[in-house]
């Protein structure tokens, strides 16, 4: 992987850290070192405050009431949608659909677009490094429809084999679904190239942006992706809220996902007519508070600046990689040239779960396991990895602490 620093980030990390209550905690009398950001990010006070403000002074149902509170709740909920629109550069805010998260977004596309447009003998392309959320919904669809799942292989560094991808594309291909950044390897996939290659075959592309959108600038129009999905909780927002962006032509052509209130224009026992976008895909009372919380998270990310976040996290990645390379018996899993700040590794001396436990005793939170990406583990011949995943509020000192703790693991298991 690259060991040069792209550009220097000027970021006052100590000041930023003060905005995150969880980062002030201690674990076993030691300062908490939170390195499990790919699982979920911590939340700044501004997001916690937005939830508090909503529940203490704005709480009401949206799109229904004629009273002041309902109109206020509707306004702030829809403002959150507009914030997402600007953040990912969606052409229109009605192309931003609130979901529960990435998993729901992918299932929504599989169950609506997929069921309508993918049939017997058709092919869907994914890659070896997908999260289970971007495998299982397509497998379920293939089983139901008699379609075929095709998988792009990856190199020993954890990079997509683009030539093999080119060979898989053909006139039976009906969809490509691709992770932007691998949660298990950190690989940043060349999604623009993947999309352009698919579009040459008139094949739409869904991008799983769960691990990219809070860490780098994402522009869905520049990417020209057909669908983009992400989770609020991985980008400083609350759990239970996510986003599905789609091109209007696809969203309009898709049948609804869930039926119920708000997604209809009129209902009789004979016939229901569906609401316009985005409401057609938001049946029932939506997750109002958490959408507002996501809006506050976006405000916060934009104040810090996505370019600065990206550059600083890259600096951390380079530094952390150097620290880990000095640990005896450490094997890095995922050494792509283009990497996000995910350090996935094994140690000769200890199982990843044991590593996780010893690190926890040192106040360091990492994830150990298969990271819901079992095919990647199989590809690298390991049952699990230990994974330190970074965010812009992490520091080089924390990575030094990780290095010292891993040396301790080696001593304990010597
Ligand atoms: N990865 C991790 O620790 P949800 O659970 O719907 O918010 O996100 C699912 C998901 C989809 N795609 C990718 C690339 C992901 O990384 C995740 C979530 C977490 O790596 C939890 S398994």
């Amino acid at each position: 992987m690259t060991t040069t620093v792209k550009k220097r980030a000027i970021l006052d990390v100590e000041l930023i850290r003060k905005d995150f209550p969880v980062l002030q905690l201690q674990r076993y009398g030691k300062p908490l070192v939170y390195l499990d950001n790919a699982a979920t990010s911590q939340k700044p006070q501004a997001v916690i405050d937005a939830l508090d403000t909503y529940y203490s002074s704005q709480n009401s149902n949206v799109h229904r009431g004629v009273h002041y509170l309902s109109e206020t709740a509707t306004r702030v909920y829809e403002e959150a949608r507009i914030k997402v629109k600007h953040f990912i550069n969606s052409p229109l805010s009605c192309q931003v659909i609130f979901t529960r998260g990435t998993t729901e977004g992918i299932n929504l596309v599989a169950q609506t677009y997929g069921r309508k447009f993918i049939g017997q003998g058709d092919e869907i392309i994914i890659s070896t490094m997908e999260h289970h959320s971007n495998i299982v919904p397509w497998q379920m669809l293939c089983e139901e429809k008699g379609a075929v799942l095709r998988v792009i292989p990856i190199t020993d560094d954890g990079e997509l084999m683009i030539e093999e991808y080119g060979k898989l594309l053909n006139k039976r291909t009906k969809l490509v679904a691709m992770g932007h950044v691998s949660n298990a390897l950190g690989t940043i996939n060349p999604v623009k190239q993947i999309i352009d290659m698919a579009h040459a075959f008139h094949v739409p592309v869904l991008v799983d942006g769960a691990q990219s959108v809070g860490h780098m600038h994402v522009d869905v129009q520049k990417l020209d992706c057909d669908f983009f999905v992400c989770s609020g909780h991985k980008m400083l927002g609350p759990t239970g809220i996510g986003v599905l962006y789609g091109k209007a032509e696809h969203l309009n052509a898709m049948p609804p996902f869930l039926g119920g209130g708000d997604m209809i224009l009129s209902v009789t026992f004979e016939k229901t007519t569906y609401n316009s976008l985005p409401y057609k895909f938001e049946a029932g009372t939506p997750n109002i508070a958490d959408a507002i919380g996501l809006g506050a998270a976006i405000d916060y990310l934009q104040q810090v600046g996505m370019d600065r976040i990206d550059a600083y996290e890259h600096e951390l990645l380079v530094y952390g990689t150097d620290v880990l390379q000095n640990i005896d018996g450490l094997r890095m899993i995922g050494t792509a040239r283009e990497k996000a700040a995910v350090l996935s590794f094994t140690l000769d001396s200890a199982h990843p779960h044991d590593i996780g436990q010893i690190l926890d005793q040192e106040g360091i939170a990492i994830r150990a396991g298969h990271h819901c990406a079992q095919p990647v583990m199989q590809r690298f011949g390991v049952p699990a990895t230990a994974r330190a995943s970074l965010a812009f509020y992490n520091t080089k000192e924390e990575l030094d602490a990780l290095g010292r703790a891993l040396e301790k693991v080696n001593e304990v298991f010597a």
Side-chain angles (χ1 to χ4, degrees):
M1 64 154 287
T2 175
T3 48
T4 51
V5 175
K6 280 186 211 164
K7 52 188 159 184
R8 283 215 90 72
I10 308 152
L11 212 83
D12 191 341
V13 181
E14 284 316 314
L15 205 64
I16 284 169
R17 287 177 69 82
K18 292 199 172 95
D19 292 336
F20 290 78
V22 165
L23 301 182
Q24 317 310 318
L25 298 178
Q26 302 236 322
R27 180 94 173 107
Y28 308 119
K30 293 168 186 146
L32 173 71
V33 175
Y34 186 78
L35 304 177
D36 196 15
N37 294 285
T40 198
S41 65
Q42 293 306 335
K43 321 302 172 198
Q45 190 61 46
V47 168
I48 300 165
D49 287 347
L51 295 175
D52 187 41
T53 303
Y54 172 72
Y55 280 124
S56 26
S57 63
Q58 299 167 328
N59 177 51
S60 190
N61 213 326
V62 291
H63 308 141
R64 288 156 170 83
V66 288
H67 55 84
Y68 170 80
L69 268 187
S70 177
E71 283 176 0
T72 306
T74 302
R75 180 176 52 74
V76 282
Y77 177 68
E78 291 303 331
E79 278 170 6
R81 196 190 307 278
I82 292 167
K83 288 177 188 179
V84 176
K85 167 203 174 320
H86 290 304
F87 191 59
I88 61 170
N89 194 28
S90 165
L92 299 170
S93 54
C94 67
Q95 290 168 256
V96 171
I97 290 143
F98 284 124
T99 63
R100 279 192 302 141
T102 305
T103 304
E104 187 174 281
I106 297 172
N107 277 276
L108 189 160
V109 176
Q111 292 300 314
T112 58
Y113 183 92
R115 273 182 153 173
K116 184 163 175 186
F117 295 109
I118 295 171
Q120 176 83 29
D122 287 342
E123 296 180 1
I124 299 167
I125 299 179
I126 59 170
S127 84
T128 306
M129 69 177 97
E130 298 313 314
H131 185 276
H132 296 166
S133 293
N134 203 26
I135 302 173
V136 184
W138 307 118
Q139 271 176 337
M140 289 161 66
L141 181 69
C142 286
E143 233 168 74
E144 182 186 322
K145 293 288 184 174
V148 181
L149 199 61
R150 298 273 182 224
V151 183
I152 311 167
I154 58 175
T155 66
D156 290 345
D157 286 324
E159 292 182 356
L160 277 182
M161 293 187 179
I162 291 289
E163 272 183 36
E164 297 304 313
Y165 168 55
K167 289 182 206 159
L168 289 177
L169 280 165
N170 66 68
K171 60 180 189 324
R172 289 184 303 277
T173 313
K174 288 294 178 301
L175 189 88
V176 175
M178 182 66 52
H180 198 170
V181 170
S182 159
N183 67 318
L185 305 172
T187 309
I188 303 174
N189 283 316
V191 280
K192 177 65 185 146
Q193 186 184 2
I194 287 158
I195 292 163
D196 290 346
M197 286 169 72
H199 284 178
F201 285 79
H202 307 289
V203 173
V205 180
L206 176 143
V207 176
D208 169 356
Q211 298 294 350
S212 65
V213 74
H215 302 275
M216 61 185 69
H217 186 66
V218 169
D219 182 327
V220 292
Q221 291 192 70
K222 264 201 194 137
L223 286 177
D224 198 24
C225 54
D226 297 86
F227 300 104
F228 186 91
V229 288
C230 61
S231 299
H233 71 96
K234 294 187 197 289
M235 49 187 287
L236 313 186
T239 48
I241 190 76
V243 168
L244 161 66
Y245 156 82
K247 282 188 178 166
E249 72 205 72
H250 298 314
L251 295 176
N252 280 319
M254 282 153 54
F257 180 39
L258 302 174
D262 226 23
M263 54 75 74
I264 56 90
L265 283 180
S266 70
V267 178
T268 66
F269 286 119
E270 289 70 40
K271 186 170 172 55
T272 292
T273 53
Y274 303 129
N275 209 339
S276 54
L277 295 175
Y279 311 112
K280 184 171 90 171
F281 293 108
E282 292 183 4
T285 300
N287 188 349
I288 306 162
D290 295 324
I292 293 164
L294 175 58
I298 288 174
D299 287 342
Y300 189 92
L301 286 169
Q302 284 179 322
Q303 274 161 26
V304 180
M306 289 314 299
D307 287 344
R308 289 197 295 168
I309 288 173
D310 187 354
Y312 177 68
E313 288 187 9
H314 185 74
E315 228 175 280
L316 286 181
L317 170 70
V318 172
Y319 189 86
T321 305
D322 282 350
V323 169
L324 295 195
Q325 268 161 359
N326 288 323
I327 307 292
D328 274 350
L330 186 141
R331 177 187 172 201
M332 192 72 86
I333 306 289
T335 49
R337 283 162 292 181
E338 292 295 323
K339 260 193 84 170
V342 173
L343 299 159
S344 212
F345 58 90
T346 57
L347 274 185
D348 286 346
S349 63
H351 188 279
H353 286 115
D354 295 327
I355 301 172
Q357 259 174 13
I358 295 204
L359 262 49
D360 180 53
Q361 299 296 315
E362 299 299 311
I364 301 174
I366 61 151
R367 184 172 172 188
H370 54 60
H371 315 296
C372 302
Q374 284 182 350
V376 183
M377 301 296 123
Q378 285 150 17
R379 168 65 181 81
F380 285 92
V382 293
T385 71
R387 183 190 69 183
S389 53
L390 316 180
F392 63 94
Y393 43 68
N394 288 128
T395 63
K396 290 178 183 166
E397 291 70 33
E398 289 181 316
L399 293 167
D400 290 334
L402 172 67
R404 286 193 299 275
L406 289 173
E407 273 162 9
K408 201 163 188 175
V409 174
N410 271 344
E411 280 165 27
V412 170
F413 288 93

